[in-house]
Amino acid sequence: MSTVGFRQHDHTHCVHTAMALAEAKCKAQRLQFTPVRRRVLEILLEKHRAMGAYDILSVLSAEGMGSQPPVVYRALDFLVQNGFVHRIEQLNAYAACAHPTHDHVPAFLICRSCKAVAETETELTQGRLGAAADTSGFQIERIVVEAEGLCPECAEL
């Protein structure tokens, strides 16, 4: 299990790898990776932080790729449905997937001070919730795990 977001890494490689994986998946599954969808993913990868839909829309608008909210929301829906992007419920924002090479259940660590977000992985059946679901015969289909605290940089202040 790897937590991405609070540690140093080769960000340029990260962006290129994620874009190549997205392009390959879209090609293999015959998904329409339109210029707007591609650019929304690039924006999230380049900024390397969670962004609200209107923040993304302002970048698209400045680049002449659309100025109406449905443009960005349709692109985000596609990217979320296909696992390229995750929605951060607590922030009402979106972040590029940090583990695009495999299916996983994301968990997010959100800094309450600077709002930085790190992604890690969990499982649908782990922990007390998984045990309780198993005991009751409940089948978990989706979990949203978002923990709030301080990132390493803010904790040092």
Side-chain angles (χ1 to χ4, degrees):
M1 179 168 18
S2 171
T3 301
V4 177
F6 298 140
R7 63 180 168 80
Q8 295 296 319
H9 65 283
D10 181 350
H11 186 62
T12 302
H13 177 72
C14 167
V15 172
H16 291 301
T17 300
M19 288 305 297
L21 289 168
E23 290 170 7
K25 181 176 180 178
C26 287
K27 185 176 181 179
Q29 295 182 3
R30 298 177 189 231
L31 301 172
Q32 294 288 323
F33 201 33
T34 65
V36 171
R37 291 171 177 175
R38 179 184 311 274
R39 186 63 188 129
V40 168
L41 180 56
E42 284 174 340
I43 290 166
L44 288 169
L45 288 164
E46 289 167 0
K47 299 293 184 186
H48 211 298
R49 64 180 173 86
M51 295 179 69
Y54 282 88
D55 296 326
I56 298 166
L57 183 61
S58 69
V59 175
L60 290 178
S61 181
E63 295 175 357
M65 295 190 80
S67 59
Q68 298 300 314
V71 170
V72 75
Y73 281 112
R74 282 192 297 266
L76 287 167
D77 285 345
F78 170 86
L79 295 169
V80 168
Q81 287 175 358
N82 289 287
F84 303 126
V85 167
H86 300 297
R87 186 168 188 282
I88 313 297
E89 306 281 339
Q90 183 176 338
L91 300 176
N92 192 24
Y94 299 84
C97 178
H99 303 282
T101 58
H102 61 281
D103 289 335
H104 62 283
V105 177
F108 301 100
L109 308 173
I110 304 166
C111 180
R112 67 175 164 76
S113 179
C114 71
K115 302 300 182 208
V117 175
E119 178 185 341
T120 190
E121 301 173 74
T122 188
E123 294 180 26
L124 289 176
T125 58
Q126 80 180 33
R128 291 184 180 170
L129 182 59
D134 188 45
T135 300
S136 66
F138 184 80
Q139 293 183 357
I140 298 173
E141 295 177 346
R142 179 177 178 263
I143 292 178
V144 176
V145 179
E146 298 179 353
E148 185 178 56
L150 290 173
C151 70
E153 191 171 309
C154 291
E156 290 180 0
L157 298 177

